[in-house]
C-alpha cells in the first residue's frame, strides 16, 4: 500500500464511515481510513456491555441517506446498530479503504510542505507494549522510547478525525485499586467471559452506561453494591418493538419512515427551548421524572436517595424503564456515603465500613474533556493540540482549530448533544468538510487554517449562549470543564448548526496555495 494519500480518516464509527461514504459519492477514490480495531463500528463496537442500547430513536439515530426499515425496536440495541454500521461499510464500498489494526500514535503537520505525517503502529504490538508499561488508553506515549513498536509513516494532505469524544475510558482515582484481588473492569471493556452468577459485585457510577447494565448485572449477581455519587434524572423510555406492518410500510414507502424521522427530530428539537433558552420550563420534565420514581420505587428512603437535587437537564437526562425496579430489589443496595478506599477484598466507604466483593465494575464514563490524548496531534511549529487547548478544548464550528491546518474534527468540541441524535451533527460536519475539500481542489489551496480571531470570536459567542442555559445551572457534569467552560455541548438548535456548516466559509481561513504564497479570502498576498 502507498505511503501517501490525499485524505486520511481516523476511525470507523458513524463519523469515519459517513465521511468515507460522502467522499466516494463525490468521486474521491484515493483516501484511507485508519482503524485501530479489527472491525468497524467505533463506540458501538467497543461498548458491548449487557443492556447496551441507544437512547435516541433509531429512525433518527442513523444516516439520513441510509434509512433502515428493519429496526427491530424504536430504540435499537448495540448489536443491531453495529450490524447497521457493518452494512453501511460494505454497501458503500468502504472496506478496501480501511486499514484495520492500525493505530495512529502521532500526527505532525509539516508546514514547509503542507502535509501531515502520520506515525502508525500495529494495534496488537502497541497493546502489548502498553500492557508491559502499565499504560491505559489515552495515556501519552513516550515517542522516544526505543521499546515502542516500529512505526510506519503515512503522508496525508488532509487529516479527518472521526475519533469521537467519548472513546477513552475514565478510571476513578481511588486509593488501593491496585491492591484489589478480585475482578476489575470498565463498562467499555466488559469481560463477557467473567460469569457474574452468584457473585458479589460493586458498581461505581450511575450514568448513562450504568443505568443500562445494572439491571442486567442484578439478574445474575448474588448482591449488587451500587456506589452512587450523584443520582441522574431518569425518564420513562418510550421503547417498543416495531410492528410487522410498520416495517413493511417503511420498505415499500420510504417516505413514511422519513416522516417518522422528521417527527422525532422536531419533538426532540423542541427540548432546546427549555434546555438552552428557558430552564424554568424544565420543571415540567422534573414533575414527570419524579412521578417515574414514585411509580417504580415503593420504598421512601430509596426514593429520597435516587432523587437528584439539581435542575433536570444539567446532566444528561437518561431514559430507562428497568433501572429503578432493579434498585428496588432486596439484593441491590444504593450506597451514597462515598468511597474511601479499596482493599484486597472489597470497598471501604467514607464511614470506614468495608463491604467485601468479588468484582468491581466501573461505570465511570469517559475522558470527555480530553477527547484527543496529549502527544498525538502536532500542528504548526510542532505545537501539541492539548497545549493549544490548555484552557479547555475549542474549535471553529466544532471542526477546525487555528494552527492545525487541514485537520478536520468530526464530533469535535461543542458538537455534543444532550437532546438529539449525534448522527445529525456528524452529517452536518461532513457537509462542511466536503465543501472545504471541493474549494481546496477548485482553488488549488494546499492548506487551510482557520484564523485565530475568528475562532476566538466564535467561541466567545458559544460561551455566551451557554450562560444561563440549564447546563450552566450548577451541577458537576462532563459537559463543562473545571473552569466552567462548556467544551463539549452544542448550546442551541441542531438546525442552526446545520445552517452554519452548510458551506465552507473560506474567508475565515488562511488559505495557502503553495508554501511561500498565501491567499486570504481569495486574494493572493505574500506570506
Ligand atoms: O458516563 P457518565 P457513562 N467515584 O460520565 C460516576 C454516552 N452514552 O459511561 O455524576 C464515584 O455519564 C459519575 O458520578 P458524578 C452519553 O453521552 C450514550 O455512563 O460525576 N463515582 C457518574 O455517575 C453519556 O453521557 C448512550 O457524580 C464516580 C458516572 O460515574 C456518556 O456516554 C449510552 C467517580 C459516570 O457517568 C457517558 O456515559 C451510554 C468516582 N471517582 C453512554 N467518577 C446512549 O444510549 C465518576 N463517577 C446513546
Amino acid at each position: 500500500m502507498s505511503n501517501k494519500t490525499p485524505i486520511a480518516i481516523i476511525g470507523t464509527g458513524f463519523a469515519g464511515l459517513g465521511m468515507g461514504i460522502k467522499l466516494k459519492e463525490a468521486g474521491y477514490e484515493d483516501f484511507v481510513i485508519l482503524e485501530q480495531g479489527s472491525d468497524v463500528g467505533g463506540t458501538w463496537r467497543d461498548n458491548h456491555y449487557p443492556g447496551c442500547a441507544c437512547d435516541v430513536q433509531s429512525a433518527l439515530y442513523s444516516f439520513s441517506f441510509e434509512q433502515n426499515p428493519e429496526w427491530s425496536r424504536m430504540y435499537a440495541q448495540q448489536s443491531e446498530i453495529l450490524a447497521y454500521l457493518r452494512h453501511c461499510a460494505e454497501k458503500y464500498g468502504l472496506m478496501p479503504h480501511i486499514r484495520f489494526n492500525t493505530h495512529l500514535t502521532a500526527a505532525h503537520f509539516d508546514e514547509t510542505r503542507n502535509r501531515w505525517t502520520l506515525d502508525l503502529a500495529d494495534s496488537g504490538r502497541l497493546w502489548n507494549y502498553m500492557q508491559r508499561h502499565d499504560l491505559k488508553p489515552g495515556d501519552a506515549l513516550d515517542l522516544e522510547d526505543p521499546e515502542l513498536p516500529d512505526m510506519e509513516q503515512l503522508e496525508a494532505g488532509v487529516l479527518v478525525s472521526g475519533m469521537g469524544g467519548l472513546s477513552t475510558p475514565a478510571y476513578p482515582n481511588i486509593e488501593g485499586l491496585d491492591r484489589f484481588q478480585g475482578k476489575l473492569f470498565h463498562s467499555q471493556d466488559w469481560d463477557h467471559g467473567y460469569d457474574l452468577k452468584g457473585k458479589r459485585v460493586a458498581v461505581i457510577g450511575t450514568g448513562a452506561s450504568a443505568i443500562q447494565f445494572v439491571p442486567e448485572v442484578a439478574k445474575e449477581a448474588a448482591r449488587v453494591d451500587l456506589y452512587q455519587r450523584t443520582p441522574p434524572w431518569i425518564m420513562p423510555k418510550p421503547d417498543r418493538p416495531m410492528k410487522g406492518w410498520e416495517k413493511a410500510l417503511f420498505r415499500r414507502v420510504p417516505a413514511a419512515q422519513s416522516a417518522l424521522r422528521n417527527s422525532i427530530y422536531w419533538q426532540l428539537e423542541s427540548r432546546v427551548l427549555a434546555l438552552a433558552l428557558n430552564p424554568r420550563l424544565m420543571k415540567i420534565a422534573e414533575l414527570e421524572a419524579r412521578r417515574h420514581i414514585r411509580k417504580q420505587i415503593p420504598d421512601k428512603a430509596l426514593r429520597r436517595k435516587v432523587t437528584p437535587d439539581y435542575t433536570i437537564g444539567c446532566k444528561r437526562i437518561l431514559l430507562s424503564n428497568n433501572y429503578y425496579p432493579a434498585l428496588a430489589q432486596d439484593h441491590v443496595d444504593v450506597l451514597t456515603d462515598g468511597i474511601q478506599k479499596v482493599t484486597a477484598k472489597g470497598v471501604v466507604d467514607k464511614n470506614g465500613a468495608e463491604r467485601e466483593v468479588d468484582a468491581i465494575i466501573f461505570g465511570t464514563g469517559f475522558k470527555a474533556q480530553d477527547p484527543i490524548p496529549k502527544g498525538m496531534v502536532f500542528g504548526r511549529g510542532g505545537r501539541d493540540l492539548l497545549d493549544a487547548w490548555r484552557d479547555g478544548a475549542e474549535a471553529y464550528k466544532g471542526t477546525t482549530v487555528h494552527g492545525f491546518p487541514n485537520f478536520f474534527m468530526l464530533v469535535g468540541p461543542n458538537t455534543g448533544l444532550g437532546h438529539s441524535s449525534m448522527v445529525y451533527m456528524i452529517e452536518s460536519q461532513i457537509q462542511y468538510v466536503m465543501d472545504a475539500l471541493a474549494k481546496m481542489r477548485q482553488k488549488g489551496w494546499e492548506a487551510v487554517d482557520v484564523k485565530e480571531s475568528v475562532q476566538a470570536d466564535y467561541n466567545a459567542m458559544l460561551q455566551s449562549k451557554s450562560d444561563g442555559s440549564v447546563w450552566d445551572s450548577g451541577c458537576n457534569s462532563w459537559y463543562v470543564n473545571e473552569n466552567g467552560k462548556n467544551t463539549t455541548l452544542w448550546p442551541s438548535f441542531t438546525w442552526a448548526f446545520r445552517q452554519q456548516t452548510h458551506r465552507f466559509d473560506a474567508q475565515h481561513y488562511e488559505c495557502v496555495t503553495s508554501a511561500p504564497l498565501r491567499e486570504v479570502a481569495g486574494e493572493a498576498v505574500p506570506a
Side-chain angles (χ1 to χ4, degrees):
M1 204 172 271
S2 161
N3 64 349
K4 286 188 181 163
T5 181
I7 304 164
I9 302 168
I10 315 164
T12 60
F14 272 101
L17 294 181
M19 188 72 227
I21 292 169
K22 288 294 153 187
L23 283 175
K24 281 204 89 113
E25 260 180 26
Y28 293 79
E29 276 302 327
D30 194 2
F31 64 92
V32 172
I33 308 181
L34 304 169
E35 170 52 61
Q36 61 180 345
S38 53
D39 190 3
V40 301
T43 192
W44 295 104
R45 175 201 58 213
D46 294 341
N47 286 276
H48 41 71
Y49 55 78
C52 185
C54 191
D55 60 9
V56 177
Q57 292 92 328
S58 298
L60 184 61
Y61 194 88
S62 46
F63 289 124
S64 59
F65 52 82
E66 184 60 28
Q67 287 290 284
N68 172 20
E70 309 301 333
W71 292 120
S72 67
R73 306 190 64 81
M74 200 50 122
Y75 296 79
Q77 304 278 319
Q78 171 264 344
S79 57
E80 216 176 343
I81 303 172
L82 180 56
Y84 168 82
L85 288 170
R86 284 179 183 144
H87 155 84
C88 291
E90 294 279 358
K91 175 173 171 181
Y92 290 92
L94 294 184
M95 297 307 265
H97 293 269
I98 304 175
R99 291 183 60 180
F100 288 106
N101 302 308
T102 304
H103 185 102
L104 173 74
T105 52
H108 295 263
F109 186 72
D110 176 351
E111 49 201 296
T112 60
R113 296 185 313 125
N114 293 321
R115 301 193 77 71
W116 284 93
T117 304
L118 313 180
D119 293 335
L120 309 176
D122 174 85
S123 298
R125 285 199 206 119
L126 188 70
W127 180 241
N128 290 339
Y129 167 86
M130 288 174 70
Q131 288 205 313
R132 278 202 310 278
H133 291 77
D134 204 18
L135 291 168
K136 293 207 165 59
D139 286 349
L141 295 175
D142 175 4
L143 298 177
E144 305 300 319
D145 184 353
E147 275 188 51
L148 258 185
D150 288 342
M151 298 287 161
E152 182 198 339
Q153 292 203 320
L154 175 70
E155 195 179 288
V158 165
L159 181 59
V160 182
S161 166
M163 286 192 277
L166 300 171
S167 51
T168 309
Y171 293 86
N173 187 11
I174 299 174
E175 186 200 324
L177 269 180
D178 51 341
R179 284 199 298 265
F180 184 61
Q181 304 275 303
K183 183 80 186 169
L184 270 180
F185 55 89
H186 188 278
S187 60
Q188 181 163 282
D189 301 315
W190 200 274
D191 185 349
H192 293 274
Y194 181 76
D195 189 3
L196 290 164
K197 213 166 204 65
K199 301 280 179 9
R200 300 160 302 170
V201 181
V203 173
I204 302 178
T206 54
S209 305
I211 67 140
Q212 293 184 335
F213 71 71
V214 164
E216 304 304 318
V217 173
K219 282 182 196 162
E220 302 285 325
R223 200 184 82 216
V224 179
D225 295 347
L226 178 58
Y227 288 88
Q228 172 189 278
R229 192 163 66 179
T230 317
W233 281 108
I234 301 177
M235 304 281 258
K237 188 171 188 177
D239 195 13
R240 63 169 178 81
M242 298 305 290
K243 300 189 175 79
W245 67 262
E246 289 172 312
K247 292 190 209 175
L249 176 67
F250 295 159
R251 253 177 253 132
R252 267 186 228 143
V253 190
Q257 195 167 22
S258 301
L260 173 66
R261 181 182 169 97
N262 286 338
S263 74
I264 294 167
Y265 173 80
W266 287 109
Q267 188 203 334
L268 298 185
E269 201 64 358
S270 67
R271 297 181 183 170
V272 177
L273 293 170
L275 291 165
L277 301 181
N278 189 351
R280 274 176 304 180
L281 292 175
M282 293 307 295
K283 271 279 166 220
I284 303 164
E286 186 181 315
L287 289 176
E288 190 184 344
R290 285 181 184 277
R291 210 175 305 129
H292 192 41
I293 295 174
R294 282 199 302 277
K295 210 166 147 195
Q296 294 206 309
I297 299 185
D299 178 60
K300 287 199 173 141
L302 182 56
R303 279 184 193 167
R304 271 196 299 279
K305 269 190 190 174
V306 301
T307 304
D309 61 2
Y310 55 86
T311 310
I312 187 168
C314 185
K315 289 160 99 73
R316 188 181 176 94
I317 300 174
L318 309 182
L319 303 180
S320 176
N321 301 329
N322 61 358
Y323 177 68
Y324 289 143
L327 304 194
Q329 298 172 92
D330 290 341
H331 69 299
V332 180
D333 289 317
V334 179
L335 305 166
T336 54
D337 287 331
I339 299 173
Q340 185 195 113
K341 61 179 178 183
V342 168
T343 63
K345 290 187 172 168
V347 181
V348 180
D349 72 15
K350 291 217 165 124
N351 298 324
E354 178 168 7
R355 292 168 75 100
E356 291 191 2
V357 287
D358 303 301
I360 301 178
I361 304 175
F362 302 117
T364 43
F366 300 89
K367 289 189 177 173
Q369 293 298 334
D370 294 328
I372 291 179
K374 191 163 171 65
M376 190 186 224
V377 178
F378 299 89
R380 272 161 48 172
R383 189 167 196 214
D384 191 314
L385 182 61
L386 275 241
D387 289 332
W389 283 352
R390 205 165 277 151
D391 300 326
E394 64 171 50
Y396 178 59
K397 300 190 174 178
T399 313
T400 50
V401 181
H402 172 70
F404 296 79
N406 296 6
F407 176 52
F408 297 94
M409 276 176 296
L410 306 175
V411 198
N414 296 102
T415 58
L417 298 177
H419 75 285
S420 188
S421 168
M422 278 311 294
V423 184
Y424 183 91
M425 298 298 273
I426 288 169
E427 285 193 44
S428 304
Q429 290 191 282
I430 290 172
Q431 161 61 27
Y432 189 69
V433 180
M434 289 303 299
D435 197 39
L437 294 175
K439 288 195 170 119
M440 286 172 78
R441 254 189 178 186
Q442 204 185 351
K443 306 263 185 188
W445 292 331
E446 278 186 5
V448 292
D449 187 9
V450 67
K451 293 176 190 168
E452 192 170 12
S453 59
V454 169
Q455 184 179 316
D457 291 350
Y458 181 82
N459 279 279
M461 178 278 291
L462 270 186
Q463 295 309 317
S464 73
K465 264 192 187 300
S466 304
D467 293 347
S469 71
V470 71
W471 308 295
D472 181 42
S473 62
C475 67
N476 171 26
S477 84
W478 60 260
Y479 294 159
V480 175
N481 75 4
E482 67 279 6
N483 304 321
K485 176 175 169 177
N486 167 14
T487 62
T488 57
L489 270 192
W490 171 246
S492 183
F493 295 99
T494 59
W495 51 260
F497 186 73
R498 181 149 290 190
Q499 278 180 339
Q500 281 189 8
T501 48
H502 182 63
R503 200 179 55 80
F504 180 69
D505 39 358
Q507 71 276 20
H508 294 322
Y509 285 75
E510 289 169 15
C511 304
V512 183
T513 45
S514 62
L517 191 74
R518 283 176 156 196
E519 196 172 294
V520 181
E523 192 183 324
V525 292

